[in-house]
Amino acid sequence: MVIKVFVATSSGSIAIRKKQQEVVGFLEANKIDFKELDIAGDEDNRKWMRENVPGEKKPQNGIPLPPQIFNEEHYCGDFDSFFSAKEENIIYSFLGLAPPPGSKVTKSEEVSSLPNGDVAGEAEGTAEGTEQAEESVESEAHKEDKEDTGDLPESPGKNTEGVTEEGAEGEAEEEEAEEAAEGEDS
């Protein structure tokens, strides 16, 4: 299976050239086999690309702009879809390819998504949780020090009157981090 990237080598648009370079550069850096097909110099490539981009994916004027990405004859998407897939770390499934064995992408693509959009078991999330738990422990120690000196009100942050939405969210995150820290201590 070969990925086909339709580009316009003589495009006057800087934005299009940058998008094309980003797609091609990413594929090269990740050693993904692809073929770059020029639509500016080859009428057959231009015609094929325009005919094979699905109707619902075409812009209002009906003419899809490069880069357009295909896996053989299967349409993968345009630059925006590519960028989203890259950001969500699902680029191999976007391209219709099997991830290379042992890659970090393999693990995160195999793990199910949670309802809030997070990926269960993601290494970054684990590291974040650990950092939050550590910050929470440090924060608790700091509060205890201040309570000993009498610098803090009797029950900080527990008064619900006048609490902003942001304050409530921060409080909820702190409580979650405290629970996570207590769970690690067990």
PDB file of all heavy atoms in Angstrom, residues 140-181:
ATOM      1  N   GLU A 140      -0.504  20.436  50.381  1.00  0.00           N
ATOM      2  CA  GLU A 140      -1.032  20.046  51.691  1.00  0.00           C
ATOM      3  C   GLU A 140      -0.017  20.360  52.786  1.00  0.00           C
ATOM      4  O   GLU A 140      -0.371  20.881  53.832  1.00  0.00           O
ATOM      5  CB  GLU A 140      -1.344  18.549  51.735  1.00  0.00           C
ATOM      6  CG  GLU A 140      -2.741  18.133  51.406  1.00  0.00           C
ATOM      7  CD  GLU A 140      -3.840  18.948  52.054  1.00  0.00           C
ATOM      8  OE1 GLU A 140      -3.929  19.031  53.297  1.00  0.00           O
ATOM      9  OE2 GLU A 140      -4.643  19.506  51.303  1.00  0.00           O
ATOM     10  N   ALA A 141       1.247  20.028  52.541  1.00  0.00           N
ATOM     11  CA  ALA A 141       2.286  20.279  53.542  1.00  0.00           C
ATOM     12  C   ALA A 141       2.387  21.780  53.806  1.00  0.00           C
ATOM     13  O   ALA A 141       2.516  22.218  54.954  1.00  0.00           O
ATOM     14  CB  ALA A 141       3.621  19.723  53.072  1.00  0.00           C
ATOM     15  N   HIS A 142       2.298  22.583  52.731  1.00  0.00           N
ATOM     16  CA  HIS A 142       2.365  24.031  52.863  1.00  0.00           C
ATOM     17  C   HIS A 142       1.172  24.552  53.677  1.00  0.00           C
ATOM     18  O   HIS A 142       1.325  25.414  54.536  1.00  0.00           O
ATOM     19  CB  HIS A 142       2.395  24.669  51.465  1.00  0.00           C
ATOM     20  CG  HIS A 142       2.655  26.141  51.479  1.00  0.00           C
ATOM     21  ND1 HIS A 142       3.842  26.671  51.900  1.00  0.00           N
ATOM     22  CD2 HIS A 142       1.860  27.185  51.128  1.00  0.00           C
ATOM     23  CE1 HIS A 142       3.778  27.986  51.810  1.00  0.00           C
ATOM     24  NE2 HIS A 142       2.576  28.323  51.333  1.00  0.00           N
ATOM     25  N   LYS A 143      -0.030  24.002  53.423  1.00  0.00           N
ATOM     26  CA  LYS A 143      -1.230  24.410  54.166  1.00  0.00           C
ATOM     27  C   LYS A 143      -1.073  24.069  55.643  1.00  0.00           C
ATOM     28  O   LYS A 143      -1.429  24.866  56.512  1.00  0.00           O
ATOM     29  CB  LYS A 143      -2.481  23.698  53.627  1.00  0.00           C
ATOM     30  CG  LYS A 143      -3.008  24.280  52.351  1.00  0.00           C
ATOM     31  CD  LYS A 143      -4.242  23.519  51.932  1.00  0.00           C
ATOM     32  CE  LYS A 143      -4.729  23.928  50.572  1.00  0.00           C
ATOM     33  NZ  LYS A 143      -5.860  23.122  50.124  1.00  0.00           N
ATOM     34  N   GLU A 144      -0.549  22.871  55.916  1.00  0.00           N
ATOM     35  CA  GLU A 144      -0.373  22.460  57.315  1.00  0.00           C
ATOM     36  C   GLU A 144       0.583  23.400  58.027  1.00  0.00           C
ATOM     37  O   GLU A 144       0.359  23.773  59.171  1.00  0.00           O
ATOM     38  CB  GLU A 144       0.127  21.018  57.387  1.00  0.00           C
ATOM     39  CG  GLU A 144      -0.942  20.004  57.020  1.00  0.00           C
ATOM     40  CD  GLU A 144      -0.405  18.588  56.944  1.00  0.00           C
ATOM     41  OE1 GLU A 144       0.762  18.353  57.324  1.00  0.00           O
ATOM     42  OE2 GLU A 144      -1.164  17.711  56.500  1.00  0.00           O
ATOM     43  N   ASP A 145       1.656  23.810  57.322  1.00  0.00           N
ATOM     44  CA  ASP A 145       2.594  24.752  57.921  1.00  0.00           C
ATOM     45  C   ASP A 145       1.896  26.057  58.270  1.00  0.00           C
ATOM     46  O   ASP A 145       2.089  26.613  59.347  1.00  0.00           O
ATOM     47  CB  ASP A 145       3.766  25.048  56.973  1.00  0.00           C
ATOM     48  CG  ASP A 145       4.685  23.848  56.801  1.00  0.00           C
ATOM     49  OD1 ASP A 145       4.604  22.918  57.637  1.00  0.00           O
ATOM     50  OD2 ASP A 145       5.481  23.852  55.847  1.00  0.00           O
ATOM     51  N   LYS A 146       1.065  26.560  57.366  1.00  0.00           N
ATOM     52  CA  LYS A 146       0.367  27.823  57.604  1.00  0.00           C
ATOM     53  C   LYS A 146      -0.675  27.667  58.706  1.00  0.00           C
ATOM     54  O   LYS A 146      -0.882  28.590  59.484  1.00  0.00           O
ATOM     55  CB  LYS A 146      -0.292  28.326  56.316  1.00  0.00           C
ATOM     56  CG  LYS A 146       0.699  28.917  55.361  1.00  0.00           C
ATOM     57  CD  LYS A 146       0.007  29.705  54.292  1.00  0.00           C
ATOM     58  CE  LYS A 146       1.053  30.441  53.486  1.00  0.00           C
ATOM     59  NZ  LYS A 146       0.511  31.532  52.755  1.00  0.00           N
ATOM     60  N   GLU A 147      -1.348  26.503  58.761  1.00  0.00           N
ATOM     61  CA  GLU A 147      -2.334  26.290  59.814  1.00  0.00           C
ATOM     62  C   GLU A 147      -1.667  26.308  61.180  1.00  0.00           C
ATOM     63  O   GLU A 147      -2.217  26.807  62.145  1.00  0.00           O
ATOM     64  CB  GLU A 147      -3.086  24.973  59.594  1.00  0.00           C
ATOM     65  CG  GLU A 147      -4.098  25.045  58.487  1.00  0.00           C
ATOM     66  CD  GLU A 147      -4.732  23.711  58.163  1.00  0.00           C
ATOM     67  OE1 GLU A 147      -4.314  22.680  58.733  1.00  0.00           O
ATOM     68  OE2 GLU A 147      -5.637  23.692  57.316  1.00  0.00           O
ATOM     69  N   ASP A 148      -0.447  25.750  61.244  1.00  0.00           N
ATOM     70  CA  ASP A 148       0.291  25.749  62.503  1.00  0.00           C
ATOM     71  C   ASP A 148       0.579  27.166  62.972  1.00  0.00           C
ATOM     72  O   ASP A 148       0.582  27.455  64.160  1.00  0.00           O
ATOM     73  CB  ASP A 148       1.606  24.970  62.364  1.00  0.00           C
ATOM     74  CG  ASP A 148       1.358  23.480  62.199  1.00  0.00           C
ATOM     75  OD1 ASP A 148       0.232  23.016  62.524  1.00  0.00           O
ATOM     76  OD2 ASP A 148       2.282  22.784  61.741  1.00  0.00           O
ATOM     77  N   THR A 149       0.809  28.078  62.023  1.00  0.00           N
ATOM     78  CA  THR A 149       1.122  29.456  62.397  1.00  0.00           C
ATOM     79  C   THR A 149      -0.119  30.317  62.473  1.00  0.00           C
ATOM     80  O   THR A 149      -0.050  31.485  62.828  1.00  0.00           O
ATOM     81  CB  THR A 149       2.104  30.079  61.383  1.00  0.00           C
ATOM     82  OG1 THR A 149       1.482  30.073  60.103  1.00  0.00           O
ATOM     83  CG2 THR A 149       3.423  29.339  61.353  1.00  0.00           C
ATOM     84  N   GLY A 150      -1.289  29.756  62.090  1.00  0.00           N
ATOM     85  CA  GLY A 150      -2.543  30.497  62.173  1.00  0.00           C
ATOM     86  C   GLY A 150      -2.762  31.457  61.017  1.00  0.00           C
ATOM     87  O   GLY A 150      -3.568  32.370  61.128  1.00  0.00           O
ATOM     88  N   ASP A 151      -2.041  31.305  59.910  1.00  0.00           N
ATOM     89  CA  ASP A 151      -2.169  32.212  58.776  1.00  0.00           C
ATOM     90  C   ASP A 151      -3.361  31.904  57.884  1.00  0.00           C
ATOM     91  O   ASP A 151      -3.755  32.722  57.081  1.00  0.00           O
ATOM     92  CB  ASP A 151      -0.892  32.166  57.909  1.00  0.00           C
ATOM     93  CG  ASP A 151       0.283  32.824  58.622  1.00  0.00           C
ATOM     94  OD1 ASP A 151       0.047  33.537  59.594  1.00  0.00           O
ATOM     95  OD2 ASP A 151       1.421  32.607  58.166  1.00  0.00           O
ATOM     96  N   LEU A 152      -3.940  30.721  57.988  1.00  0.00           N
ATOM     97  CA  LEU A 152      -5.039  30.337  57.102  1.00  0.00           C
ATOM     98  C   LEU A 152      -6.370  30.401  57.823  1.00  0.00           C
ATOM     99  O   LEU A 152      -6.437  30.145  59.026  1.00  0.00           O
ATOM    100  CB  LEU A 152      -4.845  28.890  56.604  1.00  0.00           C
ATOM    101  CG  LEU A 152      -3.916  28.672  55.444  1.00  0.00           C
ATOM    102  CD1 LEU A 152      -3.900  27.196  55.093  1.00  0.00           C
ATOM    103  CD2 LEU A 152      -4.303  29.470  54.230  1.00  0.00           C
ATOM    104  N   PRO A 153      -7.446  30.692  57.080  1.00  0.00           N
ATOM    105  CA  PRO A 153      -8.776  30.604  57.690  1.00  0.00           C
ATOM    106  C   PRO A 153      -9.065  29.161  58.093  1.00  0.00           C
ATOM    107  O   PRO A 153      -8.398  28.230  57.638  1.00  0.00           O
ATOM    108  CB  PRO A 153      -9.720  31.047  56.574  1.00  0.00           C
ATOM    109  CG  PRO A 153      -8.896  31.443  55.419  1.00  0.00           C
ATOM    110  CD  PRO A 153      -7.483  31.122  55.719  1.00  0.00           C
ATOM    111  N   GLU A 154     -10.097  28.968  58.901  1.00  0.00           N
ATOM    112  CA  GLU A 154     -10.392  27.661  59.473  1.00  0.00           C
ATOM    113  C   GLU A 154     -10.607  26.570  58.422  1.00  0.00           C
ATOM    114  O   GLU A 154     -10.076  25.481  58.533  1.00  0.00           O
ATOM    115  CB  GLU A 154     -11.619  27.765  60.384  1.00  0.00           C
ATOM    116  CG  GLU A 154     -11.769  26.560  61.283  1.00  0.00           C
ATOM    117  CD  GLU A 154     -12.800  26.822  62.348  1.00  0.00           C
ATOM    118  OE1 GLU A 154     -12.659  27.805  63.094  1.00  0.00           O
ATOM    119  OE2 GLU A 154     -13.747  26.038  62.423  1.00  0.00           O
ATOM    120  N   SER A 155     -11.392  26.839  57.374  1.00  0.00           N
ATOM    121  CA  SER A 155     -11.587  25.823  56.337  1.00  0.00           C
ATOM    122  C   SER A 155     -11.432  26.465  54.961  1.00  0.00           C
ATOM    123  O   SER A 155     -12.398  26.927  54.375  1.00  0.00           O
ATOM    124  CB  SER A 155     -12.954  25.148  56.468  1.00  0.00           C
ATOM    125  OG  SER A 155     -13.972  26.117  56.416  1.00  0.00           O
ATOM    126  N   PRO A 156     -10.209  26.544  54.473  1.00  0.00           N
ATOM    127  CA  PRO A 156      -9.958  27.220  53.199  1.00  0.00           C
ATOM    128  C   PRO A 156     -10.615  26.492  52.028  1.00  0.00           C
ATOM    129  O   PRO A 156     -10.547  25.283  51.923  1.00  0.00           O
ATOM    130  CB  PRO A 156      -8.439  27.190  53.071  1.00  0.00           C
ATOM    131  CG  PRO A 156      -8.016  26.014  53.879  1.00  0.00           C
ATOM    132  CD  PRO A 156      -9.020  25.938  55.003  1.00  0.00           C
ATOM    133  N   GLY A 157     -11.267  27.279  51.134  1.00  0.00           N
ATOM    134  CA  GLY A 157     -11.809  26.729  49.896  1.00  0.00           C
ATOM    135  C   GLY A 157     -13.070  25.912  50.062  1.00  0.00           C
ATOM    136  O   GLY A 157     -13.606  25.402  49.108  1.00  0.00           O
ATOM    137  N   LYS A 158     -13.567  25.715  51.277  1.00  0.00           N
ATOM    138  CA  LYS A 158     -14.736  24.879  51.487  1.00  0.00           C
ATOM    139  C   LYS A 158     -16.019  25.704  51.477  1.00  0.00           C
ATOM    140  O   LYS A 158     -17.099  25.176  51.435  1.00  0.00           O
ATOM    141  CB  LYS A 158     -14.633  24.099  52.810  1.00  0.00           C
ATOM    142  CG  LYS A 158     -13.434  23.177  52.876  1.00  0.00           C
ATOM    143  CD  LYS A 158     -13.460  22.130  51.796  1.00  0.00           C
ATOM    144  CE  LYS A 158     -12.231  21.255  51.869  1.00  0.00           C
ATOM    145  NZ  LYS A 158     -12.000  20.487  50.708  1.00  0.00           N
ATOM    146  N   ASN A 159     -15.903  27.027  51.554  1.00  0.00           N
ATOM    147  CA  ASN A 159     -17.060  27.907  51.527  1.00  0.00           C
ATOM    148  C   ASN A 159     -17.589  27.956  50.099  1.00  0.00           C
ATOM    149  O   ASN A 159     -16.893  28.378  49.194  1.00  0.00           O
ATOM    150  CB  ASN A 159     -16.646  29.309  52.001  1.00  0.00           C
ATOM    151  CG  ASN A 159     -17.816  30.263  52.035  1.00  0.00           C
ATOM    152  OD1 ASN A 159     -18.935  29.887  51.690  1.00  0.00           O
ATOM    153  ND2 ASN A 159     -17.538  31.498  52.445  1.00  0.00           N
ATOM    154  N   THR A 160     -18.835  27.509  49.877  1.00  0.00           N
ATOM    155  CA  THR A 160     -19.380  27.440  48.524  1.00  0.00           C
ATOM    156  C   THR A 160     -20.054  28.727  48.110  1.00  0.00           C
ATOM    157  O   THR A 160     -20.379  28.896  46.950  1.00  0.00           O
ATOM    158  CB  THR A 160     -20.381  26.276  48.386  1.00  0.00           C
ATOM    159  OG1 THR A 160     -21.391  26.432  49.366  1.00  0.00           O
ATOM    160  CG2 THR A 160     -19.674  24.949  48.526  1.00  0.00           C
ATOM    161  N   GLU A 161     -20.268  29.650  49.017  1.00  0.00           N
ATOM    162  CA  GLU A 161     -20.890  30.915  48.643  1.00  0.00           C
ATOM    163  C   GLU A 161     -19.872  31.746  47.865  1.00  0.00           C
ATOM    164  O   GLU A 161     -18.749  31.938  48.297  1.00  0.00           O
ATOM    165  CB  GLU A 161     -21.325  31.700  49.880  1.00  0.00           C
ATOM    166  CG  GLU A 161     -22.484  31.046  50.616  1.00  0.00           C
ATOM    167  CD  GLU A 161     -22.873  31.858  51.824  1.00  0.00           C
ATOM    168  OE1 GLU A 161     -21.990  32.091  52.675  1.00  0.00           O
ATOM    169  OE2 GLU A 161     -24.031  32.245  51.909  1.00  0.00           O
ATOM    170  N   GLY A 162     -20.281  32.238  46.687  1.00  0.00           N
ATOM    171  CA  GLY A 162     -19.414  33.104  45.888  1.00  0.00           C
ATOM    172  C   GLY A 162     -18.256  32.384  45.226  1.00  0.00           C
ATOM    173  O   GLY A 162     -17.330  33.022  44.772  1.00  0.00           O
ATOM    174  N   VAL A 163     -18.272  31.066  45.194  1.00  0.00           N
ATOM    175  CA  VAL A 163     -17.196  30.322  44.548  1.00  0.00           C
ATOM    176  C   VAL A 163     -17.404  30.401  43.040  1.00  0.00           C
ATOM    177  O   VAL A 163     -18.485  30.116  42.542  1.00  0.00           O
ATOM    178  CB  VAL A 163     -17.182  28.840  44.999  1.00  0.00           C
ATOM    179  CG1 VAL A 163     -16.167  28.043  44.209  1.00  0.00           C
ATOM    180  CG2 VAL A 163     -16.887  28.750  46.466  1.00  0.00           C
ATOM    181  N   THR A 164     -16.366  30.804  42.320  1.00  0.00           N
ATOM    182  CA  THR A 164     -16.470  30.877  40.861  1.00  0.00           C
ATOM    183  C   THR A 164     -16.389  29.480  40.281  1.00  0.00           C
ATOM    184  O   THR A 164     -15.928  28.543  40.946  1.00  0.00           O
ATOM    185  CB  THR A 164     -15.337  31.730  40.267  1.00  0.00           C
ATOM    186  OG1 THR A 164     -14.099  31.071  40.530  1.00  0.00           O
ATOM    187  CG2 THR A 164     -15.343  33.135  40.837  1.00  0.00           C
ATOM    188  N   GLU A 165     -16.804  29.356  39.024  1.00  0.00           N
ATOM    189  CA  GLU A 165     -16.752  28.056  38.350  1.00  0.00           C
ATOM    190  C   GLU A 165     -15.313  27.568  38.257  1.00  0.00           C
ATOM    191  O   GLU A 165     -15.027  26.404  38.483  1.00  0.00           O
ATOM    192  CB  GLU A 165     -17.354  28.195  36.956  1.00  0.00           C
ATOM    193  CG  GLU A 165     -17.483  26.876  36.225  1.00  0.00           C
ATOM    194  CD  GLU A 165     -18.211  27.048  34.907  1.00  0.00           C
ATOM    195  OE1 GLU A 165     -19.201  27.771  34.848  1.00  0.00           O
ATOM    196  OE2 GLU A 165     -17.736  26.452  33.941  1.00  0.00           O
ATOM    197  N   GLU A 166     -14.388  28.500  37.980  1.00  0.00           N
ATOM    198  CA  GLU A 166     -12.980  28.116  37.870  1.00  0.00           C
ATOM    199  C   GLU A 166     -12.453  27.630  39.212  1.00  0.00           C
ATOM    200  O   GLU A 166     -11.715  26.662  39.291  1.00  0.00           O
ATOM    201  CB  GLU A 166     -12.143  29.305  37.391  1.00  0.00           C
ATOM    202  CG  GLU A 166     -12.488  29.722  35.986  1.00  0.00           C
ATOM    203  CD  GLU A 166     -12.001  31.123  35.667  1.00  0.00           C
ATOM    204  OE1 GLU A 166     -11.923  31.962  36.568  1.00  0.00           O
ATOM    205  OE2 GLU A 166     -11.711  31.348  34.498  1.00  0.00           O
ATOM    206  N   GLY A 167     -12.852  28.311  40.290  1.00  0.00           N
ATOM    207  CA  GLY A 167     -12.419  27.900  41.622  1.00  0.00           C
ATOM    208  C   GLY A 167     -12.933  26.519  41.967  1.00  0.00           C
ATOM    209  O   GLY A 167     -12.234  25.702  42.546  1.00  0.00           O
ATOM    210  N   ALA A 168     -14.186  26.239  41.607  1.00  0.00           N
ATOM    211  CA  ALA A 168     -14.772  24.931  41.883  1.00  0.00           C
ATOM    212  C   ALA A 168     -14.045  23.848  41.105  1.00  0.00           C
ATOM    213  O   ALA A 168     -13.790  22.766  41.625  1.00  0.00           O
ATOM    214  CB  ALA A 168     -16.258  24.931  41.540  1.00  0.00           C
ATOM    215  N   GLU A 169     -13.689  24.137  39.842  1.00  0.00           N
ATOM    216  CA  GLU A 169     -12.961  23.147  39.039  1.00  0.00           C
ATOM    217  C   GLU A 169     -11.588  22.883  39.642  1.00  0.00           C
ATOM    218  O   GLU A 169     -11.150  21.742  39.730  1.00  0.00           O
ATOM    219  CB  GLU A 169     -12.806  23.635  37.600  1.00  0.00           C
ATOM    220  CG  GLU A 169     -14.072  23.603  36.796  1.00  0.00           C
ATOM    221  CD  GLU A 169     -13.898  24.178  35.409  1.00  0.00           C
ATOM    222  OE1 GLU A 169     -12.801  24.640  35.068  1.00  0.00           O
ATOM    223  OE2 GLU A 169     -14.882  24.168  34.681  1.00  0.00           O
ATOM    224  N   GLY A 170     -10.904  23.952  40.043  1.00  0.00           N
ATOM    225  CA  GLY A 170      -9.582  23.789  40.648  1.00  0.00           C
ATOM    226  C   GLY A 170      -9.659  22.970  41.917  1.00  0.00           C
ATOM    227  O   GLY A 170      -8.817  22.121  42.177  1.00  0.00           O
ATOM    228  N   GLU A 171     -10.710  23.221  42.711  1.00  0.00           N
ATOM    229  CA  GLU A 171     -10.898  22.477  43.954  1.00  0.00           C
ATOM    230  C   GLU A 171     -11.137  20.998  43.657  1.00  0.00           C
ATOM    231  O   GLU A 171     -10.572  20.125  44.322  1.00  0.00           O
ATOM    232  CB  GLU A 171     -12.074  23.077  44.726  1.00  0.00           C
ATOM    233  CG  GLU A 171     -12.241  22.513  46.111  1.00  0.00           C
ATOM    234  CD  GLU A 171     -13.360  23.231  46.857  1.00  0.00           C
ATOM    235  OE1 GLU A 171     -13.412  24.469  46.837  1.00  0.00           O
ATOM    236  OE2 GLU A 171     -14.178  22.515  47.448  1.00  0.00           O
ATOM    237  N   ALA A 172     -11.954  20.728  42.615  1.00  0.00           N
ATOM    238  CA  ALA A 172     -12.229  19.335  42.253  1.00  0.00           C
ATOM    239  C   ALA A 172     -10.953  18.642  41.798  1.00  0.00           C
ATOM    240  O   ALA A 172     -10.707  17.485  42.139  1.00  0.00           O
ATOM    241  CB  ALA A 172     -13.288  19.275  41.154  1.00  0.00           C
ATOM    242  N   GLU A 173     -10.132  19.356  41.029  1.00  0.00           N
ATOM    243  CA  GLU A 173      -8.866  18.753  40.565  1.00  0.00           C
ATOM    244  C   GLU A 173      -7.945  18.464  41.748  1.00  0.00           C
ATOM    245  O   GLU A 173      -7.282  17.431  41.780  1.00  0.00           O
ATOM    246  CB  GLU A 173      -8.172  19.685  39.574  1.00  0.00           C
ATOM    247  CG  GLU A 173      -8.858  19.765  38.234  1.00  0.00           C
ATOM    248  CD  GLU A 173      -8.250  20.785  37.298  1.00  0.00           C
ATOM    249  OE1 GLU A 173      -7.259  21.431  37.673  1.00  0.00           O
ATOM    250  OE2 GLU A 173      -8.774  20.931  36.204  1.00  0.00           O
ATOM    251  N   GLU A 174      -7.903  19.386  42.708  1.00  0.00           N
ATOM    252  CA  GLU A 174      -7.067  19.165  43.893  1.00  0.00           C
ATOM    253  C   GLU A 174      -7.527  17.930  44.649  1.00  0.00           C
ATOM    254  O   GLU A 174      -6.721  17.126  45.108  1.00  0.00           O
ATOM    255  CB  GLU A 174      -7.114  20.386  44.819  1.00  0.00           C
ATOM    256  CG  GLU A 174      -6.268  21.542  44.355  1.00  0.00           C
ATOM    257  CD  GLU A 174      -6.311  22.711  45.340  1.00  0.00           C
ATOM    258  OE1 GLU A 174      -6.601  22.485  46.537  1.00  0.00           O
ATOM    259  OE2 GLU A 174      -6.055  23.837  44.898  1.00  0.00           O
ATOM    260  N   GLU A 175      -8.856  17.784  44.807  1.00  0.00           N
ATOM    261  CA  GLU A 175      -9.379  16.629  45.528  1.00  0.00           C
ATOM    262  C   GLU A 175      -9.032  15.334  44.806  1.00  0.00           C
ATOM    263  O   GLU A 175      -8.661  14.342  45.439  1.00  0.00           O
ATOM    264  CB  GLU A 175     -10.892  16.759  45.704  1.00  0.00           C
ATOM    265  CG  GLU A 175     -11.287  17.845  46.689  1.00  0.00           C
ATOM    266  CD  GLU A 175     -12.797  18.058  46.777  1.00  0.00           C
ATOM    267  OE1 GLU A 175     -13.555  17.260  46.187  1.00  0.00           O
ATOM    268  OE2 GLU A 175     -13.184  19.015  47.435  1.00  0.00           O
ATOM    269  N   GLU A 176      -9.123  15.344  43.467  1.00  0.00           N
ATOM    270  CA  GLU A 176      -8.771  14.145  42.689  1.00  0.00           C
ATOM    271  C   GLU A 176      -7.300  13.810  42.871  1.00  0.00           C
ATOM    272  O   GLU A 176      -6.926  12.649  43.037  1.00  0.00           O
ATOM    273  CB  GLU A 176      -9.067  14.358  41.205  1.00  0.00           C
ATOM    274  CG  GLU A 176     -10.532  14.362  40.874  1.00  0.00           C
ATOM    275  CD  GLU A 176     -10.801  14.689  39.412  1.00  0.00           C
ATOM    276  OE1 GLU A 176      -9.849  14.740  38.612  1.00  0.00           O
ATOM    277  OE2 GLU A 176     -11.967  14.894  39.101  1.00  0.00           O
ATOM    278  N   ALA A 177      -6.454  14.846  42.860  1.00  0.00           N
ATOM    279  CA  ALA A 177      -5.019  14.619  43.019  1.00  0.00           C
ATOM    280  C   ALA A 177      -4.722  14.070  44.413  1.00  0.00           C
ATOM    281  O   ALA A 177      -3.881  13.192  44.578  1.00  0.00           O
ATOM    282  CB  ALA A 177      -4.253  15.906  42.758  1.00  0.00           C
ATOM    283  N   GLU A 178      -5.436  14.585  45.422  1.00  0.00           N
ATOM    284  CA  GLU A 178      -5.240  14.085  46.786  1.00  0.00           C
ATOM    285  C   GLU A 178      -5.640  12.634  46.889  1.00  0.00           C
ATOM    286  O   GLU A 178      -4.945  11.818  47.496  1.00  0.00           O
ATOM    287  CB  GLU A 178      -6.057  14.924  47.770  1.00  0.00           C
ATOM    288  CG  GLU A 178      -5.529  16.312  47.982  1.00  0.00           C
ATOM    289  CD  GLU A 178      -6.456  17.193  48.828  1.00  0.00           C
ATOM    290  OE1 GLU A 178      -7.356  16.638  49.476  1.00  0.00           O
ATOM    291  OE2 GLU A 178      -6.256  18.395  48.822  1.00  0.00           O
ATOM    292  N   GLU A 179      -6.765  12.272  46.245  1.00  0.00           N
ATOM    293  CA  GLU A 179      -7.221  10.883  46.274  1.00  0.00           C
ATOM    294  C   GLU A 179      -6.205   9.979  45.573  1.00  0.00           C
ATOM    295  O   GLU A 179      -5.909   8.878  46.031  1.00  0.00           O
ATOM    296  CB  GLU A 179      -8.586  10.765  45.604  1.00  0.00           C
ATOM    297  CG  GLU A 179      -9.694  11.369  46.411  1.00  0.00           C
ATOM    298  CD  GLU A 179     -11.031  11.406  45.655  1.00  0.00           C
ATOM    299  OE1 GLU A 179     -11.123  10.793  44.575  1.00  0.00           O
ATOM    300  OE2 GLU A 179     -11.946  12.054  46.160  1.00  0.00           O
ATOM    301  N   ALA A 180      -5.654  10.485  44.461  1.00  0.00           N
ATOM    302  CA  ALA A 180      -4.657   9.692  43.730  1.00  0.00           C
ATOM    303  C   ALA A 180      -3.405   9.493  44.592  1.00  0.00           C
ATOM    304  O   ALA A 180      -2.833   8.410  44.614  1.00  0.00           O
ATOM    305  CB  ALA A 180      -4.279  10.388  42.416  1.00  0.00           C
ATOM    306  N   ALA A 181      -3.003  10.553  45.299  1.00  0.00           N
ATOM    307  CA  ALA A 181      -1.823  10.457  46.157  1.00  0.00           C
ATOM    308  C   ALA A 181      -2.068   9.477  47.292  1.00  0.00           C
ATOM    309  O   ALA A 181      -1.207   8.683  47.661  1.00  0.00           O
ATOM    310  CB  ALA A 181      -1.448  11.832  46.712  1.00  0.00           C
TER     311      ALA A 181
END
